[in-house]
Amino acid sequence: MLCVGHVCVDMINICSSYPEEDQKVGTTTKVNRCHDQRWQRGGNAANNCTVLGLLGAKPSFLGTIAGSHEKTFLLDDFAKYNVDTKHVVVHEDCDCPASCVILSMETGSRTIIHSNKNLPELTVEDFRKVDLSSYTWVHFEGRNVSNVVGMIEVVRKHNGSHKDVKPVIISVELEKSKPELSSLIPKADVIFVSKDYAQFQGYTDMAQTIDKIHSETRPGSLVICPWGEKGASARLKEGQIVSCHAFPPDQVVDTLGAGDTFIAASIFALAQGHKPEDSILFGCRVAGAKVGVRGWEPLSHLFKDCDFLPAVEDSNSRRDVVMNTT
Ligand code: ADP
Ligand code: FRU
């Protein structure tokens, strides 16, 4: 699986509550406290790869990376999660994009302030250098839209000239509040639409979002919409909408990358041939596990012996856990 998109450094602060303006938050302060502070590799596609790596898939990351001192940290961390980075495009003399993240233990919110000063986006020419025969699935983070449209055309052309093998599946994520993302909707086979993008478009719930987005897709596409504590929904090819509840942990401690986790786990299940309803269920279970732990590392223990995903042939027996089928 190839995930195309952004990698950055996340500078994470876990605080008792979201700070007030001009407040000083320290390790021992009384009103609010900083419980932990760490660097983590971030970026949607980079996070998708982390989760796919943890699940045992063989993910590759494709994106640009700054040649600055953070590069070693980022590449070493990709390697730690078995993510292949042979295709990354290094831009020397650029600053590494970074996010300052505040996680509130009180509400579970994750506030992200992101900055990308000068790192260029991936080009269609960069993408053309990848041998697509090595991949069964290419997932595109919703950014750099005009170039991504060109990259999707490259994959479609590849599929057209390799009719003897299964086509490479194309998925996209619409996450950010950017109107231009809508031009990706008719291009992909699987479209993940986040709550943030949906609300930006004025949609109020998962069913409405799926209906609206579906009207713009190519025939046979699958639309999937995760919605925080409400879980996720998908529209099946036959038109039926299936939903699955969330799996809240005992305590929500880190929601950074919950959506990225959901997408990665859903792709993992879909790519194995699981039904959409079972795949979103798996996505919600894995994302629910993620929000209960700090960072990614603890997930490697949680996923050992994990029976979240039934064998493809047993999928029907799990219908009972898919709710609100309309
Ligand atoms: P994003 O990170 O893009 O804001 P969401 O908040 O929509 O993503 O969450 C994605 C998925 O993560 C949800 O569908 C749900 O399965 C899971 N999730 C998110 N927040 C929680 C929570 N508080 N409890 C349980 N699961 C959650
Ligand atoms: C989470 C995330 C962070 C990163 C930010 C970039 O979804 O990928 O890791 O800082 O979003 O938009």
Side-chain angles (χ1 to χ4, degrees):
M1 289 167 194
L2 179 68
C3 298
V4 183
H6 195 52
V7 63
C8 63
V9 169
D10 286 348
M11 295 175 285
I12 301 172
N13 301 279
I14 303 189
C15 300
S16 320
S17 57
Y18 186 79
E20 281 170 29
E21 186 173 349
D22 212 24
Q23 189 182 13
K24 191 166 179 178
V25 181
T27 320
T28 54
T29 42
K30 292 270 181 304
V31 190
N32 192 355
R33 198 156 84 72
C34 182
H35 296 258
D36 191 21
Q37 199 171 51
R38 64 173 192 274
W39 269 36
Q40 191 170 285
R41 174 172 50 80
N44 294 11
N47 292 339
N48 298 146
C49 283
T50 302
V51 177
L52 284 167
L54 283 165
L55 289 170
K58 290 196 176 73
S60 288
F61 171 79
L62 174 57
T64 55
I65 189 165
S68 54
H69 66 93
E70 295 90 343
K71 187 180 83 176
T72 311
F73 165 76
L74 295 174
L75 292 180
D76 286 354
D77 194 69
F78 271 126
K80 187 171 148 194
Y81 290 90
N82 295 318
V83 181
D84 163 62
T85 51
K86 65 174 173 289
H87 302 302
V88 294
V89 178
V90 180
H91 286 275
E92 301 297 343
D93 305 323
C94 283
D95 299 299
C96 179
S99 292
C100 177
V101 180
I102 299 172
L103 297 176
S104 161
M105 290 176 70
E106 191 177 53
T107 63
S109 70
R110 88 301 179 252
T111 304
I112 303 173
I113 303 169
H114 184 69
S115 163
N116 178 5
K117 287 188 213 159
N118 52 22
L119 181 66
E121 295 286 356
L122 195 78
T123 64
V124 182
E125 283 321 304
D126 295 328
F127 185 79
R128 261 189 234 287
K129 292 181 188 143
V130 175
D131 176 11
L132 290 171
S133 309
S134 315
Y135 299 102
T136 54
W137 195 296
V138 182
H139 174 70
F140 293 95
E141 179 179 333
R143 58 182 298 114
N144 183 24
V145 176
S146 53
N147 287 353
V148 165
V149 167
M151 295 178 210
I152 293 178
E153 273 163 24
V154 174
V155 185
R156 293 263 175 240
K157 220 167 169 182
H158 167 89
N159 286 343
S161 53
H162 293 79
K163 291 227 165 76
D164 47 323
V165 290
K166 274 191 174 178
V168 177
I169 310 284
I170 300 167
S171 59
V172 296
E173 167 236 35
L174 315 182
E175 190 228 29
K176 297 178 176 52
S177 308
K178 291 184 179 169
E180 67 267 27
L181 289 179
S182 63
S183 55
L184 297 175
I185 300 169
K187 305 282 177 197
D189 304 311
V190 182
I191 300 116
F192 291 94
V193 191
S194 80
K195 179 181 67 184
D196 287 356
Y197 179 80
Q199 289 176 334
F200 164 71
Q201 294 290 14
Y203 312 147
T204 51
D205 57 33
M206 293 187 264
Q208 186 194 17
T209 304
I210 287 179
D211 267 349
K212 296 277 190 195
I213 299 289
H214 176 258
S215 64
E216 297 173 45
T217 59
R218 49 194 272 130
S221 298
L222 175 65
V223 181
I224 298 181
C225 180
W227 204 281
E229 302 87 331
K230 294 231 165 82
S233 294
R235 187 188 189 280
L236 307 184
K237 278 187 191 144
E238 308 78 44
Q240 193 186 22
I241 293 185
V242 288
S243 301
C244 162
H245 61 76
F247 289 80
D250 293 340
Q251 202 196 346
V252 175
V253 296
D254 181 354
T255 54
L256 183 66
D260 305 330
T261 305
F262 171 83
I263 290 174
S266 301
I267 289 176
F268 180 78
L270 287 167
Q272 286 183 26
H274 286 279
K275 295 186 176 76
E277 51 270 49
D278 290 325
S279 301
I280 62 169
L281 177 71
F282 182 63
C284 283
R285 295 188 82 154
V286 174
K290 195 273 147 284
V291 301
V293 298
R294 284 185 193 175
W296 307 109
E297 183 59 42
L299 290 177
S300 60
H301 307 292
L302 282 177
F303 291 170
K304 274 203 192 111
D305 311 318
C306 129
D307 64 350
F308 286 178
L309 190 62
V312 178
E313 60 272 19
D314 295 338
S315 282
N316 278 331
S317 62
R318 301 288 289 263
R319 280 291 163 82
D320 51 319
V321 276
V322 177
M323 305 190 335
N324 303 332
T325 309
T326 53

